[in-house]
Amino acid sequence: MMLDAELKAQLAQYLELMEGDVLLKVSVGNDKVSQEIVDLVDELSAMSSKIKIEHTVLERTPSFSVNRVDEDTGITFAGVPLGHEFTSLILALLQVSGRAPKVDQKVIDQIKGIEGEHYFESYISLTCQNCPEVVQALNLMSVLNPNISHTMIDGAAYKKEAESKNIMAVPTVFLNGEPFGNGRMTVEEILAKLGGGPDASEFEDKDPFDVLIVGGGPGGASAAIYAARKGIRTGIVAERFGGQILDTATIENFISVKRTEGTKLAANLEEHVKDYNIDIMNLQRATRLEKKDLIEIELENGAVLKSKSVILATGASWRKIGVPGEDEFRNKGVAYCPHCDGPLFEGKHVAVIGGGNSGVEAAIDLAGIVKHVTILEYADELKADSVLQDRLNSLPNVTVIKSAQTTEITGTDNVNGISYIDRETEKEKHIELEGVFVQIGLVPNTAWLGDAVERNKFGEIVVDRNGATNVPGVFAAGDCTDEKYKQIIISMGAAATASLSAFDYLIRNTDSFQKTEA
């Protein structure tokens, strides 16, 4: 039995939503994964009379494809889509059966308008929280456009194939046999990479906003909702809606929610924002802020948006170690997400740079997968919580090196080692290994601002208790500011304060301020 009682109960509810028959074409052998696929499709067929099974030979064995009875849709799972990919399986069944996807019509039209043959392959890990969005986007495109097909490939099930293609990070996508992209990608981002993204002309006729939020993470969503509830013209410019939480596996300190995943919280935030009359401009990078009669925000595509007030909620990104080899070997042994990429290093020796909570948690997770983990910490003591250090010290395959200043990540085609200086002896040392996970905190996404607003030496935007910057009408909140504690709930609260402050600023300082319909 592949599915436990809880999963079967969830699945049964979804299968009732199927509108037409689905044919699962199964290609299996005598290996363990093949048997798991047989068990899975048999259980699916037993749960719904609309699911049929046909044994055949596909490009990869073991694998199975999800099709209409009279038409191949091009969706194939090379592996067992459980774990984080369980939702991908459910959506594939529903959409192939004829269930309408919950996607904007504009996106559907863009997908249907793609010409030429597009064969996508995505290499994933079942423990990767970023992979399902890519898999689901490419499956959706395959359902809507007969010129598009997609195969999800579990790197653990096809380890030799993944290694032959030098895949050391997931998700990794190939298009027609050539590298296409790495990391989390929404369907809109994939379309943009295919040449379907919006250009500056799509922003030419936008009237000035009352409040324009730059950033689509928890802070940006909170600020937008608070502004929209005041009935004023509100817009969001987001490089990727959801922000840093999209890269967070588990969240256990969001009060009133005992445990959730970053991707789920991001989806909930976007759904909440879309309940209001908010102009969401996703996949847009801001490049300039200038205060004139109105505040101008210039985008990377050259478009200029104008607003009476602005709230900066651009968050933060993974901090780089900044040594030779880090950029050269990114996705070739250098990684930043142990949950996503850890399974690709099974049986190998890896290093974790950073001895704070994130670094020690990464080492603990990796220790259950890899052969050996070495932690390199710059300070003379680990900074992680004592409970995490106690767990770390109980593991037999972890080495902790303190007072270690990383100087270089070495390699040829892939990472083969790391060099560091022992700060106590000042001697340079080298460790042979095959992977490096950088876990040294975050850096604010504020470099694009230059001197437009006051920032401290760390690049954080300086704000007062109301979220106001030194520029009248410009407010900021969250991880991009000098707020001491970087937490989701603090970011959302600070953004609410900034939004209310922006509204107060409009009332007091904007003669032409008019409330619009919410």
Side-chain angles (χ1 to χ4, degrees), residues 195-216:
D199 57 31
S201 63
E202 296 191 27
F203 300 88
E204 287 178 352
D205 298 327
K206 288 187 181 291
D207 294 329
F209 294 93
D210 292 318
V211 176
L212 179 62
I213 296 99
V214 183

Side-chain angles (χ1 to χ4, degrees), residues 502-514:
F503 181 71
D504 183 70
Y505 167 84
L506 292 172
I507 293 173
R508 297 174 184 274
N509 296 280
T510 309
D511 293 337
S512 60
F513 175 59
Q514 296 290 332

Side-chain angles (χ1 to χ4, degrees), residues 112-235:
K112 290 182 176 180
I114 295 173
E115 298 179 352
E117 295 295 321
H118 292 73
Y119 172 46
F120 288 97
E121 298 167 297
S122 64
Y123 289 83
I124 62 93
S125 165
L126 297 180
T127 62
C128 168
Q129 75 271 15
N130 291 324
C131 295
E133 181 145 18
V134 173
V135 172
Q136 291 163 25
L138 294 173
N139 283 349
L140 172 67
M141 292 169 67
S142 300
V143 170
L144 294 174
N145 189 322
N147 296 318
I148 299 173
S149 59
H150 168 236
T151 299
M152 180 214 82
I153 304 161
D154 178 8
Y158 285 85
K159 191 173 182 180
K160 289 183 179 180
E161 180 178 333
E163 290 177 346
S164 72
K165 290 191 174 182
N166 200 27
I167 293 168
M168 303 187 75
V170 291
T172 291
V173 178
F174 284 74
L175 171 57
N176 296 334
E178 298 295 327
F180 177 78
N182 297 95
R184 185 184 187 89
M185 290 181 285
T186 63
V187 65
E188 292 88 354
E189 288 173 304
I190 294 169
L191 290 170
K193 286 178 71 70
L194 291 172
D199 57 31
S201 63
E202 296 191 27
F203 300 88
E204 287 178 352
D205 298 327
K206 288 187 181 291
D207 294 329
F209 294 93
D210 292 318
V211 176
L212 179 62
I213 296 99
V214 183
S222 174
I225 289 170
Y226 267 79
R229 286 176 63 83
K230 292 295 185 181
I232 59 179
R233 179 166 162 72
T234 304

Side-chain angles (χ1 to χ4, degrees), residues 3 5-17 40 43-44 47 51 86 89-90 93:
L3 305 175
E6 183 178 353
L7 278 180
K8 290 188 74 170
Q10 294 177 18
L11 184 58
Q13 296 178 18
Y14 287 114
L15 294 183
E16 291 179 359
L17 301 176
L40 175 61
E43 286 193 55
L44 292 172
M47 294 178 67
I51 297 177
F86 185 59
L89 171 61
I90 292 173
L93 293 170

Side-chain angles (χ1 to χ4, degrees), residues 306-449:
K306 297 180 180 181
S307 185
K308 299 170 188 175
S309 66
V310 165
I311 299 172
L312 303 172
T314 49
S317 303
W318 293 114
R319 185 183 298 276
K320 292 185 176 182
I321 194 69
V323 299
E326 180 177 20
D327 290 335
E328 294 89 331
F329 297 111
R330 180 161 188 170
N331 297 328
K332 296 180 180 179
V334 174
Y336 297 85
C337 180
H339 302 289
C340 301
D341 300 330
L344 299 175
F345 294 85
E346 181 181 1
K348 298 180 179 181
H349 183 182
V350 303
V352 173
I353 301 176
N357 282 348
S358 60
V360 171
E361 287 174 351
I364 292 170
D365 288 343
L366 290 167
I369 302 170
V370 304
K371 182 178 180 180
H372 194 88
V373 181
T374 299
I375 293 182
L376 298 177
E377 166 56 41
Y378 181 86
D380 57 5
E381 293 294 338
L382 297 181
K383 301 182 289 290
D385 295 341
S386 58
V387 64
L388 292 175
Q389 293 194 44
D390 290 342
R391 172 63 180 144
L392 183 76
N393 293 332
S394 71
L395 301 174
N397 61 334
V398 176
T399 300
V400 177
I401 301 176
K402 304 170 186 175
S403 299
Q405 179 181 346
T406 303
T407 57
E408 184 179 7
I409 299 171
T410 62
T412 51
D413 294 330
N414 301 316
V415 168
N416 63 20
I418 191 167
S419 298
Y420 69 96
I421 293 175
D422 185 325
R423 296 175 56 242
E424 293 183 353
T425 65
E426 297 187 352
K427 291 183 178 179
E428 186 167 5
K429 300 183 179 181
H430 183 80
I431 304 172
E432 293 185 359
L433 43 72
E434 296 151 293
V436 176
F437 289 82
V438 181
Q439 299 283 292
I440 56 171
L442 302 170
V443 60
N445 297 322
T446 61
W448 65 279
L449 289 166

